[in-house]
Amino acid sequence: MAITTRDVITQDFVRDTVEEIVEEELIYRQAFREIDASGIESNSYTFYIEKNDMGRPSIVGENEEAPRHGAQSPEEFTVQFDKFMGELVITMEAMEDGLMEMKAREVENLARAMAEELNEEAYDAITTAVGANAYTDVSGDNNNTLSFDDVIQGVKRLRKGPSDVDDTFEPDLMIVDVDGYTDLLTDDNFNRATDAGDEVVRSGEIQGEVAGVPFVVDTTQDISDSGHGAFLIDTSRFGYELTRTSMTTREYEEPERQAEVVQAYCRKAWTAIFENAVVEVDG
């Protein structure tokens, strides 16, 4: 949102700028479905997850009881919300000297810092899920080069699922780090399978599809120990981003400092429900 020295930084400008940037730069947050928890009047949210085998048809003998949906107690776990907050100070001198354009950039920087923090929290939730699941923790050949074959291996692993679990998953998002993406750009199989080509990449934007899976490039994190990696995720089942307090902005004066303070804050949580619904591809 452009602003000139003739303008003033209004509450609407601050709110719109923060909301626009935070909601545009999703990246890892795209892996999570959203839950609006603004009306629960609590700092925690409890999930009740039915076991995977509940209600599944099976062969029964004469006079035997059929399996009943809901016959067992669902798994229960609770997540806690965290508050994320940042602020900047607009001095009296800046307001009087017409330095609003510079301060507008600081508002944008505050919004980007918030977006980065929220994305890092989502990234941490994904890596925690990967580490908790021995089957889907790592795929690929671990040779410090991410290849099209590595990606296909990860897609196969996610779709097939572990042998001791009935559920299989359908990846609908791949997040690849910068080193992994540059590896793929030199892979002829990858270039034939996608129309990404050598276009300029903007972090978090859908770049195309590979093996039928839309992919985005992230410039903020290294995926896998090698830094040449990707996550494949079934976003319809993987997990949730819960919002207790949506992104909010507030302005107030500090007369003793002869300044105006701009704050941005929200309360959120991220959690994986089906940890099997993500696989890390390590190039």
Side-chain angles (χ1 to χ4, degrees), residues 29 32-36 239-243 268-271:
R29 293 171 61 199
F32 298 83
R33 299 172 70 182
E34 296 184 35
I35 290 180
D36 181 0
Y240 290 96
E241 174 183 306
L242 302 94
T243 302
K268 286 180 176 286
W270 289 264
T271 187

Side-chain angles (χ1 to χ4, degrees), residues 38 58 69 71 90 92 104 110 120 197 207 221 234 244 255 281:
S38 58
S58 61
H69 184 77
I90 303 175
M92 176 193 68
L110 171 63
E120 187 171 340
Q207 300 298 318
Q221 302 285 348
D234 182 343
R244 179 67 182 87
V281 182

Side-chain angles (χ1 to χ4, degrees), residues 8-280:
V8 295
I9 296 181
T10 65
Q11 176 68 25
D12 288 342
F13 171 84
V14 173
R15 183 185 64 250
D16 293 345
T17 299
V18 172
E19 289 181 354
E20 178 181 349
I21 292 176
V22 167
E23 294 309 315
E24 274 186 357
E25 301 183 7
L26 295 174
I27 314 176
Y28 294 99
R29 293 171 61 199
Q30 296 179 68
F32 298 83
R33 299 172 70 182
E34 296 184 35
I35 290 180
D36 181 0
S38 58
I40 64 173
E41 298 183 358
S42 173
N43 194 50
S44 63
Y45 189 99
T46 300
F47 288 90
Y48 298 92
I49 308 301
E50 294 180 345
K51 298 180 185 297
N52 294 340
D53 58 352
M54 293 177 68
R56 292 185 178 275
S58 61
I59 298 174
V60 297
E62 185 177 356
N63 295 324
E64 292 182 358
E65 292 186 358
R68 293 182 177 178
H69 184 77
Q72 304 178 52
S73 298
E75 297 178 0
E76 174 183 331
F77 65 95
T78 300
V79 295
Q80 303 290 328
F81 294 99
D82 291 315
K83 184 176 182 179
F84 303 91
M85 186 173 185
E87 70 176 28
L88 64 88
V89 177
I90 303 175
T91 64
M92 176 193 68
E93 289 81 3
M95 289 184 284
E96 289 184 348
D97 295 345
L99 299 178
M100 289 298 98
E101 191 169 11
M102 181 186 70
K103 289 303 174 180
R105 286 197 298 270
E106 291 191 16
V107 171
E108 293 176 354
N109 290 338
L110 171 63
R112 291 194 173 90
M114 290 288 291
E116 290 173 4
E117 179 65 25
L118 299 182
N119 261 304
E120 187 171 340
E121 291 293 321
Y123 169 83
D124 290 342
I126 295 173
T127 56
T128 298
V130 168
N133 191 326
Y135 178 79
T136 59
D137 57 352
V138 174
S139 181
D141 52 20
N142 195 24
N143 64 352
N144 292 333
T145 300
L146 184 65
S147 68
F148 180 75
D149 289 341
D150 293 333
V151 174
I152 295 301
Q153 182 180 340
V155 171
K156 180 180 178 181
R157 175 174 287 196
L158 199 58
R159 286 176 174 166
K160 185 177 181 180
S163 58
D164 59 341
V165 177
D166 290 332
D167 277 335
T168 59
F169 300 94
E170 188 64 32
D172 58 1
L173 176 66
M174 181 173 78
I175 305 174
V176 59
D177 61 26
V178 172
D179 288 337
Y181 182 63
T182 55
D183 291 339
L184 291 174
L185 288 179
T186 63
D187 189 314
D188 291 339
N189 290 327
F190 173 80
N191 288 319
R192 283 193 294 267
T194 179
D195 57 0
D198 57 357
E199 297 177 1
V200 175
V201 173
R202 180 176 176 181
S203 183
E205 288 189 348
I206 297 293
Q207 300 298 318
E209 291 188 359
V210 56
V213 181
F215 71 92
V216 301
V217 180
D218 173 48
T219 61
T220 65
Q221 302 285 348
D222 288 334
I223 300 175
S224 81
D225 294 336
S226 70
H228 298 254
F231 290 126
L232 285 160
I233 307 161
D234 182 343
T235 65
S236 68
R237 304 184 65 191
F238 172 62
Y240 290 96
E241 174 183 306
L242 302 94
T243 302
R244 179 67 182 87
T245 303
S246 59
M247 186 59 63
T248 304
T249 58
R250 172 175 175 254
E251 294 182 64
Y252 64 93
E253 293 184 356
E254 288 190 347
E256 67 279 6
R257 298 173 64 182
Q258 294 187 320
E260 184 173 302
V261 179
V262 178
Q263 292 181 335
Y265 59 91
C266 64
R267 291 166 65 195
K268 286 180 176 286
W270 289 264
T271 187
I273 300 298
F274 293 101
E275 294 165 342
N276 286 338
V278 59
V279 63
E280 178 185 303

